[in-house]
Amino acid sequence: MGTVREKAIKRIAYMLVKQYPELWTTDFEHNKRVLSQIAEIRSKVYRNRIAGYITRLKVRELRGTLV
């Protein structure tokens, strides 16, 4: 079974990937730093969840399983 994520996390992650496609990689630490620079997210937990979901999206994109 997969991880269930809040709609807000998914919505923000999709929006950021669409707006800045060249900034994101499959490295979580890199995505976390970039996210801190371009968005003001006060909660560390939400920042990490969004960065993790963006990382997941990029991995799926590279594998070719992203719809």
Side-chain angles (χ1 to χ4, degrees):
M1 301 204 51
T3 303
V4 177
R5 291 183 178 85
E6 296 177 15
K7 283 184 181 182
I9 291 171
K10 290 183 179 183
R11 185 175 38 236
I12 292 168
Y14 279 121
M15 180 187 67
L16 290 171
V17 168
K18 192 173 186 178
Q19 284 182 348
Y20 308 102
E22 69 282 348
L23 294 180
W24 312 109
T25 65
T26 57
D27 180 32
F28 170 73
E29 293 297 326
H30 170 78
N31 291 342
K32 190 167 64 168
R33 285 192 303 271
V34 170
L35 186 60
S36 294
Q37 293 172 357
I38 65 169
E40 184 179 331
I41 300 173
R42 295 182 181 162
S43 170
K44 188 189 321 184
V45 173
Y46 273 112
R47 185 199 63 209
N48 289 346
R49 287 184 180 177
I50 293 167
Y53 194 64
I54 290 172
T55 303
R56 176 82 175 142
L57 289 175
K58 294 307 277 187
V59 167
R60 288 177 63 200
E61 182 179 291
L62 288 177
R63 288 185 187 160
T65 58
L66 187 62
V67 175

